[in-house]
Amino acid sequence: MKNQRTLFECAECGASATKWFGKCPVCGEWNTAVEVERELEKAEKAAKIKRVPPSYENTVVKFDEYEVGATKRETTGMGELDRVLGGGLVPGSVVLLAGEPGIGKSTLLLQICKTLAGEGRKVLYVSGEESRDQIKLRAKRLEGLSEVESLYLLTETNVSSINGQADKLSPDIMIIDSIQTIYNEGISSAPGSIAQVRECALSFITKAKNEGISMIIVGHVNKEGGIAGPKVLEHMVDAVLYFEGEKIRSYRMIRAIKNRYGSTNEIGLFEMTDCGLCEVPNPSEMLLSDRREGVSGSCAVCIMEGTRPVIAEIQALVTPTAFPAPRRTANGVDYNRACLIIAVLEKRLGFKFYTNDVYLNVVGGLRLDEPASDLAIALSLISGARDIPVESGIIAVGEIGLAGEIRAVSEIEKRISEASRLGFKKILVPYKNMEKVKTQKYPDVEIIPIKSIYEALAYCK
Ligand code: TYD
Ligand code: MG
């Protein structure tokens, strides 16, 4: 029998099969089968992809005797991005910057070139999407980019040409915009396909690791929100950053999905303006800017995004249902957590949510993963159900237990000082947290200890 020439791979998990499949047998996703060439290995040889051994010697070392060389992080000139990276770009690391087309990835990267190309460092910006004119025109809109000396531009999509040019220039930092446009001539599938993306990324990563080049690779996100191409890209790089936001609104958020050199809890906030992206050092102010006082179904909460306290607004809409099974939607709040809080309110306080549809939303596209937001979710639900606004100037922090008790949360002092900075007058905190709080430190805000959800009712009547 003639050898089968094609192979099918799942675009989500990278699992391979010799036959086409509707549902991936490994990850269970539908319609993810993509045809890839069986002759990948032959193609590699044809394209002369050099798999060079790493420059350091692979010998066994004694753990306690091994000393790490001094790694100095390079600042990107954008504090918000540095924070997400864990303090700056680590030399020799590979970062994947993913986001929907048009969100501002190229703009951000061009902007950070200004600082990255300082202090004698050479930066090579490889664009497979835009012409030199387009990039230069964009740079004109961005402040201070025209004076950058050691920034080099290459508009090329062939992986071996790019690597060849890079060998001649020997840059310290390389930016690839975007991996979906780069191709390897030895592979017959189109640029952006799994095989292309994987092979091109691999050859860039090998180069980065062998020569100690810091690399930032741009990856487009497909409609479902995954990085187009296989998940393998995420495993191959040192850090994966997601750049997200709504195109119609000007705010953009960057968060780390994976980071070998820092925490994944941090977020960075930007605003898209006429002259590029501007940092938003005060996210709480931004998130509260549209807030209307005196409206029912809204409550403020202070959550921790990594090391930084952020104040968010939770909104709840409670309306009589027309369906036998009432609707519940939760945007920015974990759905199961929302159902749990609704159940606690029904059981402990006698609310009749089973006759109502409930829609929960967190303003500004923030995601509240912390249980510390429970009390604020409950208060917004109570306020929505009663159609009475929560007392003005109130902010609530606390985890709710199944018995309706309010449990202690971490880093209470940071949350209180942020609330006080933003002018909140009263803060509801878990009773158990009170021993640690030095109330005299916050003269402008009244700190109210809460033991059970029942006590919270008094602030919405
Ligand atoms: P871009 O960086 O090209 O997005 P990506 O590389 O992620 O596809 O961003 C393009 C959008 O940003 C475009 O809609 C125009 C807008 N923009 C501004 O609003 N102000 C600016 O100064 C620049 C350069 C772009
Ligand atoms: Mg772009």
Side-chain angles (χ1 to χ4, degrees), residues 409 411-414 416-417 427 429-442 445 447-448:
V409 300
E411 313 214 52
I412 191 75
E413 295 255 359
K414 276 193 186 168
I416 297 175
S417 68
I427 176 162
V429 302
Y431 180 79
K432 281 272 165 57
N433 273 124
M434 282 307 281
E435 337 166 337
K436 287 191 195 145
V437 182
K438 297 183 189 74
T439 34
Q440 66 276 18
K441 259 174 73 185
Y442 314 98
V445 46
I447 302 167
I448 304 162

Short mmCIF file of all heavy atoms in Angstrom, two decimals, residues 409 411-414 416-417 427 429-442 445 447-448:
data_model
loop_
_atom_site.label_atom_id
_atom_site.label_comp_id
_atom_site.label_asym_id
_atom_site.label_seq_id
_atom_site.Cartn_x
_atom_site.Cartn_y
_atom_site.Cartn_z
N VAL A 409 -9.98 37.94 54.34
CA VAL A 409 -9.29 38.01 53.05
C VAL A 409 -7.84 38.45 53.28
O VAL A 409 -7.50 38.93 54.36
CB VAL A 409 -9.98 39.00 52.08
CG1 VAL A 409 -11.40 38.58 51.82
CG2 VAL A 409 -9.93 40.41 52.60
N GLU A 411 -4.28 40.68 52.54
CA GLU A 411 -3.82 42.04 52.22
C GLU A 411 -4.88 43.11 52.44
O GLU A 411 -5.10 43.96 51.58
CB GLU A 411 -3.33 42.10 50.78
CG GLU A 411 -2.41 40.94 50.48
CD GLU A 411 -1.31 41.30 49.52
OE1 GLU A 411 -0.61 42.30 49.77
OE2 GLU A 411 -1.15 40.56 48.55
N ILE A 412 -5.52 43.06 53.58
CA ILE A 412 -6.63 43.98 53.84
C ILE A 412 -6.16 45.44 53.91
O ILE A 412 -6.84 46.35 53.44
CB ILE A 412 -7.40 43.54 55.13
CG1 ILE A 412 -8.70 44.33 55.28
CG2 ILE A 412 -6.55 43.70 56.38
CD1 ILE A 412 -9.78 43.90 54.36
N GLU A 413 -4.95 45.66 54.45
CA GLU A 413 -4.46 47.04 54.60
C GLU A 413 -4.32 47.74 53.25
O GLU A 413 -4.69 48.89 53.10
CB GLU A 413 -3.10 47.04 55.31
CG GLU A 413 -3.16 46.55 56.74
CD GLU A 413 -3.06 47.68 57.75
OE1 GLU A 413 -2.94 48.84 57.34
OE2 GLU A 413 -3.11 47.38 58.96
N LYS A 414 -3.80 47.01 52.27
CA LYS A 414 -3.60 47.59 50.94
C LYS A 414 -4.95 47.99 50.34
O LYS A 414 -5.09 49.02 49.71
CB LYS A 414 -2.94 46.58 50.00
CG LYS A 414 -1.45 46.55 50.12
CD LYS A 414 -0.87 45.76 48.96
CE LYS A 414 0.62 45.60 49.12
NZ LYS A 414 1.17 44.63 48.18
N ILE A 416 -7.73 48.72 51.98
CA ILE A 416 -8.32 49.86 52.68
C ILE A 416 -7.65 51.16 52.23
O ILE A 416 -8.32 52.16 51.97
CB ILE A 416 -8.20 49.69 54.21
CG1 ILE A 416 -9.01 48.46 54.66
CG2 ILE A 416 -8.70 50.94 54.93
CD1 ILE A 416 -8.88 48.12 56.13
N SER A 417 -6.33 51.13 52.09
CA SER A 417 -5.67 52.39 51.73
C SER A 417 -6.03 52.82 50.31
O SER A 417 -6.16 54.01 50.04
CB SER A 417 -4.16 52.33 51.95
OG SER A 417 -3.59 51.46 51.06
N ILE A 427 -15.93 51.28 54.46
CA ILE A 427 -15.52 50.01 53.86
C ILE A 427 -15.98 48.86 54.75
O ILE A 427 -15.73 48.86 55.96
CB ILE A 427 -14.00 49.99 53.56
CG1 ILE A 427 -13.58 48.62 53.02
CG2 ILE A 427 -13.14 50.36 54.75
CD1 ILE A 427 -12.25 48.62 52.30
N VAL A 429 -15.50 45.27 55.93
CA VAL A 429 -14.43 44.26 55.90
C VAL A 429 -14.82 43.08 56.80
O VAL A 429 -15.61 43.23 57.72
CB VAL A 429 -13.06 44.84 56.37
CG1 VAL A 429 -12.63 46.00 55.51
CG2 VAL A 429 -13.09 45.24 57.82
N PRO A 430 -14.26 41.90 56.53
CA PRO A 430 -14.57 40.74 57.38
C PRO A 430 -14.14 41.00 58.83
O PRO A 430 -13.08 41.57 59.06
CB PRO A 430 -13.75 39.62 56.76
CG PRO A 430 -13.46 40.06 55.37
CD PRO A 430 -13.37 41.54 55.42
N TYR A 431 -14.97 40.56 59.75
CA TYR A 431 -14.72 40.75 61.18
C TYR A 431 -13.36 40.19 61.58
O TYR A 431 -12.61 40.79 62.32
CB TYR A 431 -15.84 40.05 61.94
CG TYR A 431 -15.74 40.17 63.43
CD1 TYR A 431 -16.13 41.34 64.07
CD2 TYR A 431 -15.28 39.10 64.19
CE1 TYR A 431 -16.04 41.45 65.45
CE2 TYR A 431 -15.18 39.19 65.57
CZ TYR A 431 -15.57 40.38 66.19
OH TYR A 431 -15.47 40.48 67.55
N LYS A 432 -13.02 39.03 61.02
CA LYS A 432 -11.77 38.35 61.37
C LYS A 432 -10.53 39.14 60.97
O LYS A 432 -9.45 38.93 61.47
CB LYS A 432 -11.73 36.97 60.68
CG LYS A 432 -12.54 35.93 61.37
CD LYS A 432 -11.69 35.25 62.45
CE LYS A 432 -12.50 34.44 63.45
NZ LYS A 432 -13.32 33.42 62.84
N ASN A 433 -10.70 40.05 60.00
CA ASN A 433 -9.56 40.83 59.53
C ASN A 433 -9.24 42.00 60.45
O ASN A 433 -8.16 42.58 60.38
CB ASN A 433 -9.83 41.40 58.13
CG ASN A 433 -9.45 40.45 57.03
OD1 ASN A 433 -10.26 40.12 56.19
ND2 ASN A 433 -8.20 40.00 57.03
N MET A 434 -10.20 42.33 61.33
CA MET A 434 -10.09 43.58 62.09
C MET A 434 -8.89 43.64 63.02
O MET A 434 -8.33 44.72 63.24
CB MET A 434 -11.38 43.84 62.88
CG MET A 434 -12.49 44.37 62.04
SD MET A 434 -12.04 45.82 61.08
CE MET A 434 -12.16 47.10 62.32
N GLU A 435 -8.45 42.48 63.55
CA GLU A 435 -7.32 42.50 64.50
C GLU A 435 -6.08 43.10 63.85
O GLU A 435 -5.28 43.76 64.51
CB GLU A 435 -6.98 41.08 64.99
CG GLU A 435 -8.11 40.17 64.85
CD GLU A 435 -7.87 38.69 64.98
OE1 GLU A 435 -6.74 38.21 64.77
OE2 GLU A 435 -8.87 38.03 65.29
N LYS A 436 -5.95 42.86 62.55
CA LYS A 436 -4.73 43.30 61.88
C LYS A 436 -4.80 44.76 61.42
O LYS A 436 -3.79 45.33 61.03
CB LYS A 436 -4.47 42.43 60.66
CG LYS A 436 -4.00 41.05 61.01
CD LYS A 436 -3.50 40.35 59.77
CE LYS A 436 -3.38 38.87 60.03
NZ LYS A 436 -3.70 38.08 58.86
N VAL A 437 -5.98 45.33 61.41
CA VAL A 437 -6.13 46.67 60.83
C VAL A 437 -5.90 47.75 61.88
O VAL A 437 -6.49 47.73 62.95
CB VAL A 437 -7.54 46.83 60.21
CG1 VAL A 437 -7.69 48.18 59.57
CG2 VAL A 437 -7.79 45.72 59.21
N LYS A 438 -5.01 48.68 61.53
CA LYS A 438 -4.79 49.82 62.42
C LYS A 438 -5.72 50.94 61.96
O LYS A 438 -5.38 51.71 61.05
CB LYS A 438 -3.33 50.27 62.35
CG LYS A 438 -2.37 49.20 62.83
CD LYS A 438 -0.94 49.71 62.81
CE LYS A 438 0.03 48.58 63.07
NZ LYS A 438 0.16 47.68 61.88
N THR A 439 -6.90 51.01 62.58
CA THR A 439 -7.94 51.93 62.11
C THR A 439 -7.50 53.39 62.14
O THR A 439 -7.92 54.17 61.30
CB THR A 439 -9.23 51.78 62.94
OG1 THR A 439 -8.86 51.47 64.25
CG2 THR A 439 -10.11 50.70 62.38
N GLN A 440 -6.62 53.73 63.12
CA GLN A 440 -6.22 55.15 63.21
C GLN A 440 -5.41 55.61 62.00
O GLN A 440 -5.30 56.81 61.74
CB GLN A 440 -5.46 55.43 64.53
CG GLN A 440 -4.12 54.76 64.69
CD GLN A 440 -4.25 53.31 65.21
OE1 GLN A 440 -5.33 52.71 65.15
NE2 GLN A 440 -3.17 52.75 65.71
N LYS A 441 -4.90 54.65 61.22
CA LYS A 441 -4.12 55.02 60.03
C LYS A 441 -5.02 55.59 58.93
O LYS A 441 -4.54 56.23 58.00
CB LYS A 441 -3.40 53.78 59.47
CG LYS A 441 -1.93 53.74 59.87
CD LYS A 441 -1.25 52.46 59.46
CE LYS A 441 -0.96 52.31 58.00
NZ LYS A 441 -0.40 50.98 57.70
N TYR A 442 -6.31 55.31 59.00
CA TYR A 442 -7.21 55.77 57.95
C TYR A 442 -8.31 56.64 58.54
O TYR A 442 -9.43 56.18 58.74
CB TYR A 442 -7.81 54.57 57.21
CG TYR A 442 -6.79 53.53 56.85
CD1 TYR A 442 -6.60 52.38 57.63
CD2 TYR A 442 -5.97 53.71 55.74
CE1 TYR A 442 -5.64 51.46 57.32
CE2 TYR A 442 -5.00 52.78 55.43
CZ TYR A 442 -4.83 51.65 56.22
OH TYR A 442 -3.87 50.74 55.91
N VAL A 445 -11.78 57.15 56.38
CA VAL A 445 -12.70 56.09 56.00
C VAL A 445 -13.14 55.30 57.23
O VAL A 445 -12.35 55.01 58.13
CB VAL A 445 -12.09 55.18 54.88
CG1 VAL A 445 -10.68 54.79 55.16
CG2 VAL A 445 -12.92 53.95 54.63
N ILE A 447 -14.18 52.05 58.94
CA ILE A 447 -14.00 50.62 58.68
C ILE A 447 -15.03 49.85 59.49
O ILE A 447 -15.05 49.92 60.71
CB ILE A 447 -12.56 50.19 59.02
CG1 ILE A 447 -11.58 51.02 58.18
CG2 ILE A 447 -12.35 48.71 58.77
CD1 ILE A 447 -10.16 50.94 58.61
N ILE A 448 -15.91 49.13 58.76
CA ILE A 448 -17.01 48.46 59.44
C ILE A 448 -16.81 46.94 59.40
O ILE A 448 -16.80 46.35 58.31
CB ILE A 448 -18.36 48.82 58.76
CG1 ILE A 448 -18.50 50.34 58.75
CG2 ILE A 448 -19.52 48.14 59.44
CD1 ILE A 448 -19.52 50.85 57.77
#
